[in-house]
Amino acid sequence: MCPTEPDSAEAAWQKLLRIRQSIDNIDAALVHLLAERFKFTQEVGELKAEFGLPASDPDREHRQIARLRELAVESNLDPEFAEKWFNFVVTEVIRHHIQAGAEGEEREAPL
């Protein structure tokens, strides 16, 4: 056994821990960014409910997908992954918008 192997293994382990800490920090930032995004989409949902607008906007969604796919390519990220992520988020946003619309209807319903 070479005397440098334990040091190499320890160095690799320390590097792995540093990398994982960076990943954890990015995960935390993503959660905070998603929370901020949902605050704004909640406001959009409330406006849509107030003015009787549809919960989804397919034209905007298509434009956003195209834009995000382009950003993904520029960032060396799989554009399919970016689109799947966006579709997941939009599905949740639309669910919230529909819920906001239903709650608005309940508030306006006569007793």
Side-chain angles (χ1 to χ4, degrees):
M1 190 159 155
C2 180
T4 59
E5 285 183 21
D7 290 338
S8 296
E10 180 61 25
W13 183 250
Q14 291 302 316
K15 184 174 183 177
L16 177 64
L17 291 175
R18 284 193 306 274
I19 292 168
R20 286 181 173 167
Q21 183 61 53
S22 294
I23 290 169
D24 292 350
N25 290 343
I26 292 168
D27 288 345
L30 288 171
V31 167
H32 291 293
L33 287 170
L34 282 171
E36 283 298 306
R37 187 185 197 287
F38 274 93
K39 285 179 190 176
F40 288 111
T41 59
Q42 182 177 356
E43 191 173 343
V44 167
E46 291 167 359
L47 283 168
K48 286 180 173 185
E50 181 180 346
F51 292 100
L53 299 170
S56 68
D57 184 346
D59 289 337
R60 174 169 166 71
E61 291 164 26
H62 290 293
R63 288 191 310 272
Q64 285 293 91
I65 288 170
R67 185 178 76 82
L68 290 174
R69 285 182 69 90
E70 188 175 314
L71 286 170
V73 169
E74 291 170 5
S75 300
N76 296 315
L77 180 68
D78 179 3
E80 289 293 319
F81 174 78
E83 185 172 344
K84 286 177 186 177
W85 169 83
F86 179 75
N87 286 330
F88 174 79
V89 171
V90 167
T91 298
E92 190 64 16
V93 167
I94 290 171
R95 187 179 71 78
H96 288 186
H97 289 183
I98 290 169
Q99 184 178 6
E103 289 171 0
E105 289 173 5
E106 288 175 9
R107 285 191 299 269
E108 295 172 6
L111 297 176

